[in-house]
Amino acid sequence: MKRLKIDLGDRSYEILIAQNLLAQAGEYLSRLFRPQSRVVVVTQPSINRLYGEKLVTSLQMAGFRTKTIEVPEGEQYKSLQEAEKMFDQLLDFSCDRQSVLVAFGGGVIGDLTGFVAATFMRGVPFVQVPTTLLSQVDSSVGGKTAVNHPKGKNLIGAFYQPRLVLIDLDTLKTLPADEFRAGLAEVIKYGVIKDAALFDYLGVHVERILALDTDRLSHIIETSCAIKAKVVELDEKETNYRRILNFGHTIGHAIEALTSYTAFKHGECVAIGMIYAGRLSKETGHCSEEVSRRIYSLVKRFGLPTDLPDLAAEAIIEAMRLDKKAADQKIMFVLVKEIGQIEFVENISEMTLRKVLEN
């Protein structure tokens, strides 16, 4: 088993990475929470059918009283309306401040459950049990919780850290191939922004990673989580340095918003966003053609989309201005200098943006 720690003082927690962790979940939760606590597992129907019984049995054997809440599949359900339904079910189950929520699924489940945990009775503990590659390497770590608004992704939320993250590698075996590839976009991002060796490792092991080789998966997940852990420790609430994690997300979030969160997976939008962030970096003189080309090449080799959908450049620029990371409608970009090195840039002209987007 691999263990990582997010060092945030009294909000510190561990990330555990191994196979067969679902069967051990009750044991690990019993070390953190009192016996007979109410534990509410929030998941989706497909995950519940595959793994729900294993997780719930483990929790019950540890003495917890359990309830399962199913949320329909899809980004559109990461909403205030769905959160309100969850509040009702928590109250019906007589949950109190000692109750625990378990986010058991991908990024939608993690973000929604974390948001509900942060706001129910002004805050109850929650645990992340991510089942997709994207959520394992990104959204389950760092304490960002949110729901979407029709005008933008994750506009309503809070920074609220989990008490524990359990990453069971076995859950990736049943993950649809397109979902797995979408998660690889975030792994590529970590290589671009912070770790050239990880970027090179991905390029060398494309086939083995796509074949779900356990050793390769364990390495890229541990490395990605370690990178994010260090970033979060330095800047928990994204006042400055944590913006490094937004590489590819500025354009990516705009694509998601303009396509109503239904046309593409989050990782697919990030993949496209990284390619265009690389091209913008080249156009503005921050990186060479080779750096931009290497990002494009690796994204393509993993079978991720590389082209913008049929959206007007003006619409994309306006959506970027509405993104929560913009300040006074000034768009902040994370641009690449070399693989493993980035730079924050704000004063990019609309003409330059339009040129890159239209090309």
Side-chain angles (χ1 to χ4, degrees), residues 50 54 78 90 167 263 295 348:
L50 289 167
K54 179 181 285 190
K78 200 172 81 173
L90 294 178
I167 297 177
I295 295 170
I348 296 178

Side-chain angles (χ1 to χ4, degrees), residues 92-298:
D92 290 343
F93 190 48
S94 301
C95 288
D96 55 27
R97 286 185 173 178
Q98 304 303 314
S99 301
V100 182
L101 303 189
V102 175
F104 184 39
V108 169
I109 291 297
D111 285 1
L112 175 62
T113 305
F115 174 76
V116 170
T119 50
F120 182 72
M121 295 192 174
R122 297 194 176 96
V124 297
F126 84 111
V127 171
Q128 289 272 17
V129 185
T131 61
T132 67
L133 180 61
L134 191 148
S135 59
Q136 289 174 357
V137 302
D138 183 57
S139 57
S140 68
V141 179
K144 280 187 175 181
T145 74
V147 293
N148 296 331
H149 186 277
K151 290 188 176 181
K153 184 179 175 71
N154 298 331
L155 292 182
I156 304 167
F159 288 94
Y160 193 70
Q161 301 294 342
R163 295 287 302 278
L164 177 69
V165 180
L166 297 176
I167 297 177
D168 190 332
L169 298 173
D170 291 337
T171 60
L172 297 178
K173 296 175 182 177
T174 54
L175 190 66
D178 57 345
E179 289 277 4
F180 179 74
R181 287 193 297 269
L184 287 167
E186 294 286 358
V187 182
I188 293 170
K189 177 197 76 176
Y190 288 119
V192 174
I193 66 172
K194 200 67 179 171
D195 193 335
L198 173 61
F199 190 92
D200 292 340
Y201 184 92
L202 292 169
V204 170
H205 298 288
V206 170
E207 291 77 14
R208 297 293 294 275
I209 291 169
L210 290 176
L212 304 183
D213 179 89
T214 300
D215 290 340
R216 272 70 178 180
L217 290 179
S218 180
H219 176 75
I220 65 174
I221 292 170
E222 180 187 18
T223 305
S224 298
C225 288
I227 292 170
K228 185 160 189 181
K230 292 302 180 186
V231 172
V232 171
E233 288 169 359
L234 290 170
D235 183 12
E236 181 183 0
K237 297 189 176 180
E238 200 171 15
T239 58
N240 186 24
Y241 183 65
R242 187 168 174 169
R243 292 178 298 170
I244 191 175
L245 300 173
N246 298 331
F247 180 73
H249 286 62
T250 306
I251 294 173
H253 281 170
I255 296 171
E256 286 185 284
L258 292 171
T259 56
S260 301
Y261 309 105
T262 57
F264 298 93
K265 302 181 187 307
H266 172 68
E268 293 172 336
C269 292
V270 170
I272 297 170
M274 287 192 296
I275 287 172
Y276 280 83
R279 291 173 178 171
L280 185 60
S281 302
K282 172 185 169 294
E283 183 67 28
T284 54
H286 288 85
C287 79
S288 65
E289 170 69 30
E290 180 189 4
V291 170
S292 178
R293 178 192 57 77
R294 289 185 68 196
I295 295 170
Y296 172 88
S297 176
L298 191 57

Side-chain angles (χ1 to χ4, degrees), residues 17-72:
I17 306 168
Q19 294 179 283
N20 199 38
L21 269 183
L22 295 183
Q24 304 170 61
E27 174 189 347
Y28 287 110
L29 265 68
S30 67
R31 300 176 186 179
L32 297 173
F33 308 111
R34 62 180 176 83
Q36 296 300 309
S37 293
R38 287 176 168 80
V39 176
V40 178
V41 177
V42 184
T43 189
Q44 292 170 317
S46 60
I47 301 299
N48 199 27
R49 284 193 299 270
L50 289 167
Y51 303 111
E53 183 177 356
K54 179 181 285 190
L55 176 62
V56 169
T57 298
S58 175
L59 295 170
Q60 291 175 344
M61 289 182 65
F64 295 114
R65 290 174 285 180
T66 67
K67 175 182 176 60
T68 298
I69 295 176
E70 288 191 351
V71 176

